[in-house]
Amino acid sequence: MIASARTLSPDARQPVPSPVGGPYPMGLMALLTTVGMLFAAFTAALLVRRTGGDWTPVRLPRVVVFSTTCIVLSSIAVEVARAWLRRGMLADSVNWLAGSGLLGMLFLGGQVVAWRHLALRGVFLPSSPHAAFFYMLSATHAAHIVGGLGAIAWTLNRLRRGAYSPERHAGFTHAAVFWHFVGAVWLYLLILLIAF
Amino acid sequence: MTTSPAPQAPRFPAPGHAAPAHAPAEVHAHHGPQSFWTRYVFSTDHKTIAKQYLFTAAFMSIFAVGWSMLIRLQLAYPHNTWPILSSLFPGLYQDGVLLPERYLSLTTMHGTVMVFFVISLALVSGFGNFIIPLQVGAHDMAYPFLNALSYWTIVPACLLMMVSFFVPDGAASAGWTAYPPLSALAEAGSGLGQTIWLLAMAPFIASFTMGGLNFVATILNMRTRGMSLMRMPLTIWTLFYASVLGILTFPALTAAAIMLLLDRLGGTSFFLPAGLIVSGQVLPHQGGTPLLFQHLFWFLGHPEVYVLALPAIGIAFDVLAAFGRRPSFGYRNTVWSILAVSALGMIAWGHHMFTSGMNPYLGEYFSIVTVLITLPFSVIAINLVASLWRAEIRLHTPMLFALGLIAAIGVGGLGGLWLGTATSDMYLQDSYFVVGHFHFMIGVVTGFGIFAGTYYWFPKMFGRMMNETLGRVHFWLTTLGTFAAFMGMHFLGMGGYLRRIYDPTTYRYAQHQPLNVFISYALLLAALGQVLFAVNLFWSLFRGKRAGANPWDATTLEWTTESPAGHNNWETLPTVSRGPYEYRTDNAPAGFHPQGEVEAAG
Ligand code: HEM
Ligand SMILES: [Cu+2]
């Protein structure tokens, strides 16, 4: 569906490494750190709040199985897209990346359905502390997924315009790393919410 | 030795800028931004953004200082009426009397705006943006677009904070620390203003985080050839640790603010315990704990004071070296001590909670860590003082402020010892001793850092010198006023006088009232001193003596480019071959060795 005949040009917009600066994308690392600290703070809050005496776990809606599957598949799709790019197969790369974005949107849809299901069961934000954490954590996480989808859209656009080459595609890699990270955060949150 | 360094392309050319297919070497061929809008308003040049931050902070400080004057007026003359103030501020005064609830709004907003919208903006975002690329030898920040975005995110935050004074029930009044239950319960008197306060903190945190990412990436990835870590000026080191601390700890405030907002608006009970009774009504909340909020808040709150103090100290190190004409004393020790202070500072937050009812053993732990911090902190302070040893002091205004900063660290740090020791803090907690302590630290130290930086880098920013005479008078008025006032506050606190009291004469033993009056006049003096600063600023902008590239004979890289520094800072980046402070070393022709040299353009 997308022009595949486009030739790959060197990624002229890649940040040029400074003469002594390391190759590590420190800005990205710092971003992951600060997002990680946010969910660490929420975790600490959950562990404290759990001892409050009124902690009754809420059964999570089954649709989270669907959304979790989507986000895992989406991460895999990003890696497949990167693999195609490394082989110089632009059209396949574009398709897989678009697919991963689609899966990410399905994940978001799944989360909305999960909120709807809980609400239909009469479980709202103030119903119980566990429910409050579920709503709050999944919504905060969803905001980061939206950011990740933005990064994927941006990358997809540049990929289609031929901005990445098999050798130079750091921007693509950074978006992928962020996407895997927010995916992993979801798995972590799910375990946290099921375990307690 | 001036081997030509590989020129750097600006990292991400502005969006809409067609990706050029030519080699990066050509990309930076200069095209200064053209239109007025891209040049002065939506600029991505770090120097313009820095000035935007600095002027925003200056603008906000007018309000924050103004509010503090109203607070001091109330504390000095609690029973007078001021009809004129009623007509000027009808929301705050009624029949010439300050409303007690609005007194609390004034202290809350003074603290919030000073900490987050004046000092953070000026010292970290403002000077950080200006000086990082210039001192590490880069054309711009790592992510110029993100940089502009972070400035434009701060603007709505400022506007929201200001607007909250005009909503029904007035601005937030739960203190800059926003402790629940008060901050969580509209029934208890925290109205729309508190909600707006929380909503304004969100863009602030987002903006500050974006700035921090940029600083870290620029300092680690964008240094010019030869600028090894251990050759970075101390301003850069302190800004680096300040950014790292912000990245690590601001998320805790984000989480706390989200939960507080949900407690306020969503009916949850994260921080609200069972059995709260407000106006005879039992509230439905249960199971939460306000202590959780305090832990999350101070997990940010304590490192935040270092976010503010460290860059001021870094500026002082730069200034002391340049105006003492000698290398900064114990550079390596300073670098490691800053790391130690930052690391320990992240695990010491509980010293703000000694009387909160937390486990006393936990309190003892926090006490020990807090007192441990004073070790590396003393190393830093001693290195500041020792940087004067055998110095050939040139007593210009920046130097005066750097010297004043050392004195303030001494007084503030000494007070910190009594506060950090749980047993003595039990008595001093929430008293004016604490208010005096932190005003020395985040009032005087950071303020003097800002002033030293302004007088020092003004020529690099605007190509003109500031007026020395006005600067000196400004220094002495500020120093006399603030030191007298904040030392006086220590005595008030030792006398048992608590903070956040609307009418100090409610104490039956009101011996402290004369001291309160004295403090108010001292602060009025200091505030008037700032008028001189403003006059000096605007006068020098247009009339100041023209400055050459290196008016102070200083060594660091920013002085190797013209004043004011042009677009992209240098045609070709300088190459660094020495440490940052090589003053009065052997065989230096001009008495100092610049840290780097720029190859002649062309
Ligand atoms: C020698 C190092 C220091 C020690 C041992 C120390 C200790 C303390 C302690 C124990 C408190 C809590 C007092 C109480 O509420 O009862 C406190 C409050 C405070 N300190 Fe420090 N401090 C030190 C340095 C600093 C620095 C460098 C800054 C900032 C630049 C600072 C800013 C503050 C602030 C803002 C508060 C009050 C916050 C509030 O309650 O509103 N301190 N300090
Ligand atoms: Cu503290």
Side-chain angles (χ1 to χ4, degrees), chain A residues 12 16 18 22 24 34 37 49 54, chain B residues 11 20 221 247-248 269 286-287:
Chain A
V16 180
S18 82
Y24 303 103
T34 194
M37 283 305 288
R49 185 61 184 81
D54 60 341
Chain B
R11 293 220 142 179
N221 288 143
I247 285 167
L248 287 172
S269 312
Q286 57 168 344

Side-chain angles (χ1 to χ4, degrees), chain A residues 1 4 18 23-24 34 54 60 84-85 97 115 118 134 137 141 152-153 156 168 188:
Chain A
M1 65 185 209
S4 55
S18 82
Y24 303 103
T34 194
D54 60 341
L60 299 188
W84 282 124
L85 177 62
L97 189 60
W115 296 330
L118 273 186
F134 176 78
L137 291 179
H141 176 261
I152 289 192
L156 189 61
R168 284 175 69 84
Y188 165 76

Side-chain angles (χ1 to χ4, degrees), chain B residues 6 14 48 77 81 114 193 224 235 243 309 365 420 424 427 475 550 554 559 561 587:
Chain B
T48 309
Y77 302 111
T81 50
M114 276 296 192
T224 188
T235 305
S243 312
Y365 155 78
S424 44
Y427 176 69
F475 168 77
N550 189 2
W559 305 108
T561 185
N587 70 40

Side-chain angles (χ1 to χ4, degrees), chain B residues 547-564:
Chain B
N550 189 2
W552 309 115
D553 291 341
T555 48
T556 40
L557 284 190
E558 74 270 31
W559 305 108
T560 59
T561 185
E562 76 260 27
S563 302

Side-chain angles (χ1 to χ4, degrees), chain B residues 234 316-317 320-321 324-331 333-334 377-393 399 402-403 406-407 584:
Chain B
L234 286 164
F317 271 114
L320 284 169
R325 314 307 299 165
R326 55 150 292 153
S328 181
F329 188 91
Y331 172 89
N333 290 334
T334 307
F377 208 81
S378 308
V379 173
I380 296 176
I382 289 170
N383 284 351
L384 281 170
V385 177
S387 292
L388 296 170
W389 186 48
R390 294 191 176 166
E392 273 171 19
I393 293 178
M399 185 62 164
L403 294 173
I406 302 181
R584 267 204 289 154

Side-chain angles (χ1 to χ4, degrees), chain B residues 3 17 31 40 86 103 144 156 177 198 228 313 317 319 348 429 452 504 574:
Chain B
T3 42
H17 201 281
H31 41 82
Y40 294 110
S86 274
Y103 172 79
T177 53
L198 285 165
S228 62
I313 294 173
F317 271 114
V319 167
Q429 167 91 70

Side-chain angles (χ1 to χ4, degrees), chain B residues 176 298 305 309 352 416 419-420 425 429 434 437-438 441-442 499:
Chain B
W176 81 280
W298 288 115
V305 304
H352 295 276
L419 297 175
D425 183 65
Q429 167 91 70
V434 178
H437 159 73
F438 72 69
M441 283 304 189
I442 53 173
R499 66 197 280 200

